[in-house]
Amino acid sequence: AQSVTQLDSHVSVSEGTPVLLRCNYSSSYSPSLFWYVQHPNKGLQLLLKYTSAATLVKGINGFEAEFKKSETSFHLTKPSAHMSDAAEYFCVAASPYNTDKLIFGTGTRLQVFP
Amino acid sequence: KAGVTQTPRYLIKTRGQQVTLSCSPISGHRSVSWYQQTPGQGLQFLFEYFSETQRNKGNFPGRFSGRQFSNSRSEMNVSTLELGDSALYLCASSTLRDRGSHEQYFGPGTRLTVT
């Protein structure tokens, strides 16, 4: 069975400092992996996706994530946080064989202080 | 291109009532999925429809049901509402995709409060 674990429920950073949101997955096959962001009272917006091409994936708003099969990780990073990055971030997995059932992590709330 | 729209955005119901939520996918998208988001359980998959057929279903009781129309618009219905059904209900649409793509576009959600 697939599962996604987000290792931190809350992360706080100062504006201009790096962001690291951690995600580990468990799967018997190579999954598709995504990061979504949810701003307050909004739906989810796709930041980036990994689909077995390049292991380093660049997304919108300066975010990127690296797929590391040996560590079963897909951590999200950004070199310099902006106040507008404050939101909830979800690491998500999908099976290539059960195409439409997304498995969500529990989310990481990112706070950015001035 | 317009995004996924959900109506209503906010809803207050009392226990025992039923409710119907609506989702209009992005034009050309034929797959619609529904998710429930609560503080305690996080985001959980409810069901997915494609071409008016339910293709996948999550682990929710039979009080939760849905359907999809020929224009791809979808509705979900919850009967005999319970307090625990209070949640943000999110709809997502997607196209028939290449293997492994799975990109879903989410609507803003319907906030349901059961009193």
Side-chain angles (χ1 to χ4, degrees):
Chain A
Q2 266 186 305
S3 67
V4 174
T5 302
Q6 290 183 245
L7 299 167
D8 307 294
S9 58
H10 289 86
V11 170
S12 297
V13 300
S14 298
E15 192 174 24
T17 64
V19 175
L20 170 64
L21 305 183
R22 298 182 295 165
C23 172
N24 286 100
Y25 70 92
S26 170
S27 177
S28 55
Y29 38 73
S30 187
S32 296
L33 295 165
F34 308 80
W35 277 97
Y36 280 86
V37 61
Q38 186 178 33
H39 290 276
N41 299 314
K42 297 284 182 66
L44 279 77
Q45 181 184 20
L46 180 68
L47 279 177
L48 49 81
K49 61 182 178 184
Y50 166 76
T51 55
S52 74
T55 56
L56 183 62
V57 182
K58 293 189 184 301
I60 63 171
N61 301 336
F63 284 95
E64 61 182 40
E66 186 172 7
F67 174 73
K68 292 187 176 180
K69 188 173 182 179
S70 60
E71 298 175 10
T72 61
S73 68
F74 190 57
H75 301 335
L76 180 71
T77 60
K78 182 173 180 177
S80 176
H82 193 273
M83 294 296 291
S84 61
D85 294 329
E88 184 120 23
Y89 292 79
F90 292 92
C91 182
V92 183
S95 162
Y97 307 103
N98 188 357
T99 57
D100 297 288
K101 188 173 178 180
L102 297 181
I103 313 290
F104 285 82
T106 50
T108 298
R109 182 163 297 279
L110 176 64
Q111 283 186 301
V112 182
F113 294 104
Chain B
K1 189 183 266 191
V4 178
T5 57
Q6 292 187 245
T7 56
R9 291 292 312 278
Y10 301 92
L11 204 51
I12 300 175
K13 291 283 188 180
T14 56
R15 275 183 299 175
Q17 287 186 311
Q18 75 165 23
V19 67
T20 299
L21 312 181
S22 180
C23 171
S24 292
I26 291 172
S27 177
H29 287 193
R30 294 166 63 190
S31 171
V32 174
S33 299
W34 288 90
Y35 297 86
Q36 182 196 65
Q37 186 177 24
T38 59
Q41 300 296 319
L43 272 151
Q44 294 185 284
F45 172 78
L46 278 157
F47 29 64
E48 185 258 345
Y49 287 87
F50 180 80
S51 292
E52 303 177 65
T53 301
Q54 187 181 88
R55 291 204 302 183
N56 286 297
K57 190 176 192 306
N59 297 324
F60 279 82
R63 300 185 297 106
F64 291 81
S65 63
R67 58 178 175 168
Q68 187 180 32
F69 302 95
S70 58
N71 61 358
S72 295
R73 188 178 70 85
S74 177
E75 290 181 346
M76 69 163 280
N77 184 78
V78 188
S79 62
T80 320
L81 283 166
E82 300 177 0
L83 294 178
D85 296 333
S86 294
L88 181 66
Y89 289 88
L90 292 165
C91 165
S93 75
S94 60
T95 63
L96 252 187
R97 64 196 60 75
D98 294 332
R99 180 169 179 246
S101 176
H102 307 287
E103 185 166 341
Q104 297 193 11
Y105 296 83
F106 283 81
T110 294
R111 172 77 60 187
L112 171 65
T113 302
V114 182
T115 62

